[in-house]
Amino acid sequence: MHPDPLDLIRQGYAALDAWEAGFGAVEAHPSLGVDADRLGAAVEEYLGRLTAPPRGETPGMYPFGHPRYAGQMLKPPHPVALAAYAIAARINPNNHALDGGPPTSEMEKEVVAGLAAMFGFASPLGHLTGGGTVANLEALFIAREETGGKAVAVSREGHFTHARMAGVLDVDCAVVASDDAGRMDLDALEDVLRRGDVGTVVLTAATTGLGAVDPIAEAIPLCRRYGARVHVDAAYGGFFRLLADAADAPVGFPAEHFRAIAEADSVVVDPHKHGLQPYGCGAVLFADPAVGRHYRHDSPYTYFTSTDLHLGEISLECSRPGAAAGALWLTLKALPLASDDGLGPILAAGLRAARAFYGEVRASEHLAPILAPETDIVVYAPEADTLDRLDARSAAVFQQAMDDPDDPVFVGLYRLGADRLRRRFPALGGDAPAARVLRSVLMKPEHEAWATRLVARLDGLAGPLGG
Ligand SMILES: *Cc1c(COP(=O)(O)O)cnc(C)c1O
């Protein structure tokens, strides 16, 4: 069935009404009342702004939930997550400490255990975070403590947050070259490891730009030979681990590298990217629970009702939404972490959508793929004879596809260096240092049925453009 979130919220609010009634009736305080006319006008403006068309001088909202939208890594939460969040948010539990909301803290421990089991971490330590950035910061903070402040190495295609957070943590950050597929180059990694000052290597599964997966299965033994810690940034792609044991993995899906995450020291995954959650839900997991000692602190304000592990004791963030834990918990009850049930088939449809999209681009008249997708992101280019014209045409297709009021298609732009582009399109002339190409994130299962139609529309625009 396709649940109606309003039905679930009504059911939840009725249960909360009954629960609250048990404490005795409370009159709403007059100070909390609102002027009906003022509210009416404000709500009208609010809804008007949220539903303004994406064209015009001040861009309105893009339709992230519609298959026409294949731009960035954005999609609405599942109705179950939305309802669970709305229900718990009425109470507003704070998972900073167990007494900020015992049930949602328990749910957090349960979902963290589920995520850890997905990656194959046997006795992990971990918690939810506000997102992938903070989750990665925590992993690098623990790495700094464990390695005595040695440098971090990350591929050129890794998320920019790692270099920035290395700066925050005051450790050096070495950038490792990547290959044309966007994966870390292992020879370049070994060169960096040989220097002897790198304590932690960040591997990415999958990259935010190309959806590429670093060669984790080979990189981890290499890192171990040099005594380096391994952190896997699977903020975007972590949930694809569910598909790594399936017999019928799609073409090009690097199952062995997802399986190898089990050998890492820490991993980050964002339930608010592929886990169907509203924003505000990342997760960090550590293979060795003993690293919890680095978080040690005393708070005079909070921990007073339990001697059990407080999530606030193993987190850099203090207040965190218990509603986020509740939403993820209910979602994973309804859509379990499995390959053939729940989340697995949703992710598998995205992988198939990307392969269908890639196939259509290859077969199209005026578009060409840059590389075959490993996960669910496709990068492709309109035909052009020079770097400047490629850049201008990509921008024009992007804009015209979005601006058509009758048949809009939303894609993204991605900048690639001239050398990389010339290795793919040797005839490309011009001396610009880089050019933008087109990029689509096929992260909704509905994209599978829309791939042909989306590419046909983009191909039509790529063709007749002048210049
Ligand atoms: C999205 C992303 C991040 C940052 O996570 P946020 O949830 O946006 O803070 C880090 N690394 C990768 C690979 C990502 O895709």
Side-chain angles (χ1 to χ4, degrees), residues 73 129-136 157-162 204-209 233-237 268 270 272-273 279-282:
M73 299 168 161
T129 64
T133 303
V134 175
N136 277 303
E157 299 277 332
H159 199 280
F160 64 81
T161 188
H162 299 292
T204 306
T207 61
T208 315
D233 179 4
Y236 184 66
V268 157
D270 263 354
H272 69 204
K273 280 188 181 141
Y279 282 114
C281 193

